Amino acid sequence: MAITTNGATFTYDSEVVGELVSISGPSISVATIDTTTLDDVHRTFVGGTIDGGELSIEVLIDPMGTDAQKFEDEWDATASAAPTAKACIITFPSAATASTYTFSAVVTGFSLDLPMDDSIRATITLKISGAVTIA
């Protein structure tokens, strides 16, 4: 059964991000370690470390507003210090089986898009640090 995305939210550093248009990710992957020996006919592997991957969100943005100000400030701060991981929560609409994905992430990208005859948007890219907890 399909579930609508209406009502989904993204929280970054205890603040719900307003004017959210889309969420893409997380893109979790597992490293593989080759355990094949000379006796093997087929390659064998074991799972290695888990990478939470990246996540990107797209928001409508008003350059004079506060919708994405937290991310602009975070990105601007990288001129003098490395960014730090902040708490993030994706909250799904109430009809979804899992209701939240919780993780820490570092802002790694901030990209503005000013298309003709459309709204101003920003895409914020975050690198997940540690585990993604699904509840």
Side-chain angles (χ1 to χ4, degrees):
M1 175 174 99
I3 298 171
T4 180
T5 58
N6 294 349
T9 62
F10 182 74
T11 304
Y12 177 79
D13 197 21
S14 301
E15 291 184 28
V16 175
V17 176
E19 303 293 326
L20 187 62
V21 175
S22 69
I23 301 170
S24 180
S27 54
I28 301 167
S29 63
V30 177
T32 55
I33 300 166
D34 191 335
T35 59
T36 309
T37 66
L38 294 176
D39 296 342
D40 293 328
V41 176
H42 298 278
R43 288 194 166 275
T44 59
F45 299 89
V46 297
T49 55
I50 301 168
D51 183 344
E54 288 188 335
L55 173 99
S56 63
I57 62 170
E58 184 178 12
V59 296
L60 300 178
I61 187 169
D62 174 356
M64 301 303 288
T66 61
D67 298 335
Q69 187 66 47
K70 187 166 204 67
F71 295 108
E72 289 173 326
D73 291 346
E74 190 87 17
W75 189 249
D76 191 42
T78 62
S80 59
T84 58
K86 302 283 192 318
C88 299
I89 304 169
I90 298 172
T91 303
F92 295 93
S94 61
T97 303
S99 59
T100 61
Y101 281 15
T102 305
F103 50 91
S104 292
V106 176
V107 174
T108 59
F110 184 91
S111 175
L112 283 174
D113 186 17
L114 290 85
M116 184 181 295
D117 293 330
D118 203 350
S119 55
I120 300 173
R121 296 173 184 235
T123 300
I124 296 104
T125 306
L126 301 111
K127 176 65 178 163
I128 296 172
S129 177
V132 175
T133 302
I134 302 170

